Amino acid sequence: MDESELLFNLFYFLLCMVIIYPPEEFQRLGFTIEQLFSRFLGEEYLDFVGYHLRRTSLNLFVHSCLPFSYFLIHRLKFSVFATQEPLEDSDLDPDFPMPQEAVAFKTLTWKTAQRFSLLAVLAVPALIFNWHQQNWRRHPICKALSKYSNSPGSYSAVASDIGTEFRRPEIYKKKLNSISTVIATQNWIIKTTMYNVHFAHQSNTSLSVAKAETYNISHHDQNDTLQMISIVVRPMRQGVSDFHIRINALEFRNLEDRVRRPIAIPSNIQFHRNVIDRFVDVFKTQVALNPIFQAESTTDKCFACMLNEPNTKIHKQCADLDRHGAPLAEGACCSNCYCRPMWCVECLARWFAARQTDVDREVWLEQKCTCPMCRAKFCVLDVSYIRPAADLRSPTHEADDTT
């Protein structure tokens, strides 16, 4: 394989990946199958089921043509497997004593792959034509919809109801990735994929969180994480298969608010349901790095939640410098807080987050807030966990008490 053929193979592989999994840049420019063939597909808004019948069939046809197109272009541009003169003994590689057998096997594999690619180009249109007969009744989407129909074998009424609900403004629609989307209407939960569409009627469907995965986005900041959760949708209708929805954990609350069925969350699965929950965990992590504050033990409850014991104290210990090390203006400096411990760390973190603006989410931890009681300005470096004075006694004193 020479250099030009290697570059061609690499280029064609990247081209196939862009066609099958179009990146956001290509989607914005309109270089996707759905956008290039928009006139043929029609409007999803006007005919939801019909649009996806045509879309899935078109995707299958275009993708089936990619292997055949590769061999066709390769045949026009290269002649790697053309008939060659027999190799002389001096040209044989001593580490590979049977070049003729290897070339024969390679040629056979190449021709077999060519025939399979041609077979795919012929078989897929035949399959799509078979689906199209009798008003797409044999298409997998229509077969799934017929399971919900009161008339056996008919899906038109169900498709009409779904299209009507899809046109309503209160639907939830979120693109999961470049090839799939989740949609929640008044009565339906729908997931569109490359070659199929999954449907679940909310009246007889159970939803549960299967797992939560956390990824570190930045190697420099351990708090910069991304959480993805997988939700299993189990329709109770006979013959309808389950499907999974994998979404960002911060989208969970939006989806939960749009579906009428409760989403079960096992006790062993923890995740951030919104931006505030994520900030609370980051706030706790930073406070744990601050020095411990010694205080008298208290039997009071947190002034906000009235459930947890107060475990934080606000007291100035930052250096009044900005991120570049320059001194802050007098009005931007933190001040001393003389309030007794009254807040648990979670309530204080939520108070801190509630005083920030959404446009500055990335730098919330660097911002300042005021004490809920005395309005003294503080930052996260000024918050410390408290420890009762009795827990900080020296070992000598403990020994004396024992004797």
Side-chain angles (χ1 to χ4, degrees), residues 148 172 176 181-185 187-193 197-211 229-237 239-247 252 255-256 259-264:
Y148 293 98
Y172 172 83
L176 304 178
T181 304
V182 61
I183 302 167
T185 66
N187 294 299
W188 294 90
I189 301 174
I190 306 169
K191 179 186 177 182
T192 66
T193 60
V197 179
H198 302 278
F199 299 91
H201 199 277
Q202 295 193 41
S203 62
N204 56 358
T205 297
S206 65
L207 297 93
S208 61
V209 177
K211 62 179 178 178
I229 61 173
S230 180
I231 301 175
V232 182
V233 182
R234 293 189 177 92
M236 303 304 178
R237 184 72 60 138
V240 181
S241 59
D242 304 346
F243 59 93
H244 288 71
I245 299 174
R246 191 169 184 267
I247 62 173
F252 177 82
L255 177 62
E256 187 180 36
V259 297
R260 296 189 290 111
R261 306 292 294 180
I263 303 178

Side-chain angles (χ1 to χ4, degrees), residues 115-131:
R115 283 164 174 75
F116 272 106
S117 67
L118 179 60
L119 181 63
V121 172
L122 299 176
V124 169
L127 176 62
I128 296 174
F129 179 78
N130 180 60
W131 285 347

Side-chain angles (χ1 to χ4, degrees), residues 4-50:
S4 60
E5 185 181 9
L6 180 62
L7 291 176
F8 168 74
N9 291 339
L10 178 61
F11 171 78
Y12 196 84
F13 174 77
L14 294 177
L15 178 63
C16 292
M17 295 302 296
V18 166
I19 293 175
I20 298 175
Y21 303 101
E24 293 184 4
E25 293 76 12
F26 276 67
Q27 296 178 30
R28 287 196 292 265
L29 294 174
F31 294 155
T32 64
I33 296 176
E34 289 82 357
Q35 293 168 315
L36 293 175
F37 294 91
S38 58
R39 290 189 177 182
F40 167 74
L41 296 177
E43 292 289 341
E44 183 185 32
Y45 182 78
L46 299 177
D47 183 14
F48 179 83
V49 174

